[in-house]
Each structure stands twice: as C-alpha cells, then as structure tokens.
Amino acid sequence: MLRVVRKFYHLRYNRRVMDIQIFKDNNALSQSAARQFVELANQAFAKRGRFLVALSGGGTPMKLYERLASENLDWTRVHFFWGDERCVPIDDAGNTYGQIKKNLFDKIGATNVHRVESDLEPESAAQAYANALSKFADAPLTFPRFDLVLLGMGDDGHTASLFPNSPVEDAAPVVAVTAHYQDRPANRVSLTPQVFNQAEEVWFLVTGASKAETLRRVLKGERNLALYPAQRIQPERGNLVWMIDQAAGALL
Ligand code: 6PG
C-alpha cells in the first residue's frame, strides 16, 4: 500500500504542521484511515474516556465507514456527530446519517449517535443540533473540541456545507445553508470553521482526478477563503491531515 507522507511546515496555516498522505487509491486510503481512526480513538479513550468524531457526507468516506465496521474497537465509547447534513428524511438516499447507518452503525450496534434532526426545516434543525452539541461543550466553548473531524472537498473547493462565496466570517457554530451541488439535497445544516478549527485532529479525505486542480489551488495557490472554503479549515492547535489518492494529488 503506497503511503507517502509529506510533512509541511506550512506558513499559510499559521505555521501549523500539515501532513499530506498520498495513497494509490481510495481502497488503500480507507484501509490506512481505518487503522489510524482506531489508534486515535484508543488514545482519546486513554486521555478522556471517550472519542468524539464528526463524520463527513459524500461518497469518498463511505469506504472508510465500511472498513470501520470490521475494526475491533470499543464503540460504546465513540460518539458520532456530523460536520454537516442534508435536510431530508433519513430514508432519503441523500441523507448522510441514513447512508452511514447502513454502512456502519447497524453493523457495530452504535449507541451514541447524535444526528442532525434532518426532518426539521434547516433553521430549526440547526438550532436543535447546536443544543445537542452544547451538551458536550468544552467550556468556555459552546460545543465540543472534537477528537476527530472528517471532511471532504468538492470539485469547487467547498467542504462540509461551506460553499464558495458563502460568508467567511462564521455567524455561529452551526448554520442553516441552501446550496446546490451536483444532484445533492440543497437544504443543509453545517458546522462552521469556528467548530472545525478547535478540533484535535482534522482529516480531509479527497480522491479522484476531478479534484486535482482544485486541490492544487487550495494547497498551493492563492489564499482566497471566500472562493476556497476548504482553506478556512486551519486548526488552531490540532493536526491537519490531507489523505488523498494519487489521482487527486497529481498536480501537487
Ligand atoms: C456532503 C459533504 C461534502 C462532501 C464533498 C465531497 O454532505 O456532501 O459534506 O462536503 O464531503 O462534496 O464529496 P465526495 O466525497 O462525494 O466527492
């Protein structure tokens, strides 16, 4: 399994260390990510007794979720949240919770699942989710400092439901969003960089040739937080890891 790890001492990310892990394909990426997920979870168990993870939607991480189902981990100490969710019923193919329930939760008997109430209108769903997050808040924050945040990146440089030309300044930790991307549901709830950038560890999972040019611009091009929301993710003290396949990394 090809795994090239390049550590960047990256001035753009306020002098944070940023890892870029390059894999042959999504299978190899997902296999390694599953192993690193278990390692991180066991470290969090030892330090804090639990592991709070914010999951990503989209197609890329589904292989990882499937692989995690066969990992040996004390799932009773893992709390699942979402970085964003589409406001459609859980049995709608576009609902991320519904997709992950099939690929992972039903197989591991997950008990700590804190999903977005996607049946509500976006504003109400956002408020309800902010309330749910506050129950796990790391004071003085009103939300948890996630042990791990999983994110993807669209061909347009969006991440979670933070789309190009959306407000760069966060209105709140959780926002309601209407955005059109591919054939995916438009009404959404999303965490904002206010939350993502407090996490201990943030992983971007990005694969496919269609992402190569945008990935080059996000990582090596001009800094433009409005145009490339993925650049807004700059963990204040946590680790930022880009897990990509060779196709997505072809222009780096
Ligand atoms: C979503 C995700 C979104 C996704 C990117 C990449 O709900 O769709 O939050 O940000 O991660 O669009 O999606 P792919 O992995 O399918 O390319």
Side-chain angles (χ1 to χ4, degrees), residues 56-61 84-86 96 151-155 158-161 181-182 184 188 205 207 211:
S56 168
T60 303
D84 68 325
E85 178 61 283
R86 300 83 172 268
T96 299
L151 291 170
M153 187 193 77
D155 300 356
H158 83 261
T159 189
S161 289
Y181 180 75
Q182 296 178 353
R184 296 178 183 176
R188 299 151 170 262
L205 275 61
T207 59
K211 308 282 174 78

Side-chain angles (χ1 to χ4, degrees), residues 24-90:
K24 181 166 64 73
D25 55 25
N26 196 4
N27 278 325
L29 184 157
S30 305
Q31 189 174 356
S32 177
R35 190 180 44 71
Q36 295 181 64
F37 183 106
V38 170
E39 279 169 21
L40 216 52
N42 283 316
Q43 287 166 15
F45 293 163
K47 284 184 208 158
R48 291 179 286 279
R50 64 187 187 184
F51 181 62
L52 306 187
V53 56
L55 302 176
S56 168
T60 303
M62 286 303 152
K63 272 190 180 23
L64 167 57
Y65 302 144
E66 288 166 16
R67 281 194 175 273
L68 283 173
S70 53
E71 290 290 342
N72 178 22
L73 185 64
D74 180 1
W75 294 108
T76 64
R77 295 204 277 177
V78 179
H79 287 257
F80 295 100
F81 298 82
W82 275 259
D84 68 325
E85 178 61 283
R86 300 83 172 268
C87 289
V88 290
I90 55 178

Side-chain angles (χ1 to χ4, degrees), residues 169-219:
E169 294 310 315
D170 303 333
V174 187
V175 291
V177 172
T178 297
H180 300 281
Y181 180 75
Q182 296 178 353
D183 58 348
R184 296 178 183 176
N187 287 337
R188 299 151 170 262
V189 165
S190 185
L191 297 184
T192 61
Q194 217 174 98
V195 181
F196 294 134
N197 290 338
Q198 292 299 327
E200 298 294 336
E201 188 102 355
V202 179
W203 296 351
F204 275 97
L205 275 61
V206 182
T207 59
S210 69
K211 308 282 174 78
E213 175 53 27
T214 301
L215 193 58
R216 184 193 64 77
R217 292 180 186 198
V218 164
L219 293 181

